[in-house]
Amino acid sequence: QVQLVESGGGLVQPGGSLRLSCAASGISFSVYTMGWYRQAPGKQRELVATITRGESTNYADSVKGRFSIAIDDAKNTVYLQMNSLKPEDTAVYYCNANRQYLFYRDYWGQGTQVTVSS
C-alpha cells in the first residue's frame, strides 16, 4: 500500500540546479518524517535532508545553504531543490518515510540518479 516514487534526476553541470520529486502513496505527512538520502559508489548511504511536518527541517552540513526540502501536502509529494551543485553531490538519491512513535516503520523509494559533471 505504501509506495515512494522518485523522479527528476539527471545530468547537470557544476553550479547548476535540479529538483527531485517523491510521490508518496499511503503516507500521512503528519505521522511520518520524510527525508532524502544519497549513496555514491563505494560510499555509505548518508542523510541529505529531513522534514517533520509542524516541527523542523534538518540538513547535512555538506548541503546547508544549497539544498531545500519541502512538502506539497495537497499533492502528497516531497521535493528536494538542489542548487549550486558540485561533483561530490553525484549519487543515487532515495526518498524515505520514517515513523518511530509507538511503533517503527521505514520505507524507501527506488532511487534516482543525479550526476554532476562537466
Side-chain angles (χ1 to χ4, degrees):
Q1 186 167 43
V2 172
Q3 188 174 28
L4 304 174
V5 181
E6 302 98 330
S7 62
L11 176 65
V12 65
Q13 292 185 326
S17 297
L18 215 56
R19 188 176 73 163
L20 306 183
S21 299
C22 173
S25 302
I27 293 290
S28 172
F29 294 151
S30 66
V31 177
Y32 286 82
T33 293
M34 304 303 299
W36 288 96
Y37 292 73
R38 68 187 182 187
Q39 187 166 25
K43 305 200 73 175
Q44 295 182 3
R45 187 174 298 187
E46 65 177 353
L47 168 74
V48 176
T50 62
I51 182 166
T52 300
R53 196 178 178 192
E55 291 192 33
S56 65
T57 58
N58 186 47
Y59 298 93
D61 288 341
S62 59
V63 307
K64 284 181 179 177
R66 300 189 297 120
F67 291 11
S68 181
I69 187 170
I71 286 175
D72 187 332
D73 193 58
K75 295 183 177 180
N76 232 57
T77 299
V78 185
Y79 301 96
L80 183 68
Q81 179 66 48
M82 304 184 293
N83 300 320
S84 302
L85 283 161
K86 306 174 180 179
E88 46 263 49
D89 295 319
T90 296
V92 177
Y93 284 70
Y94 297 92
C95 182
N96 172 260
N98 181 263
R99 169 181 181 151
Q100 297 189 30
Y101 184 64
L102 298 180
F103 59 89
Y104 182 85
R105 289 287 187 275
D106 198 57
Y107 300 100
W108 295 92
Q110 83 289 347
T112 184
Q113 176 71 48
V114 172
T115 302
V116 184
S117 176
S118 298

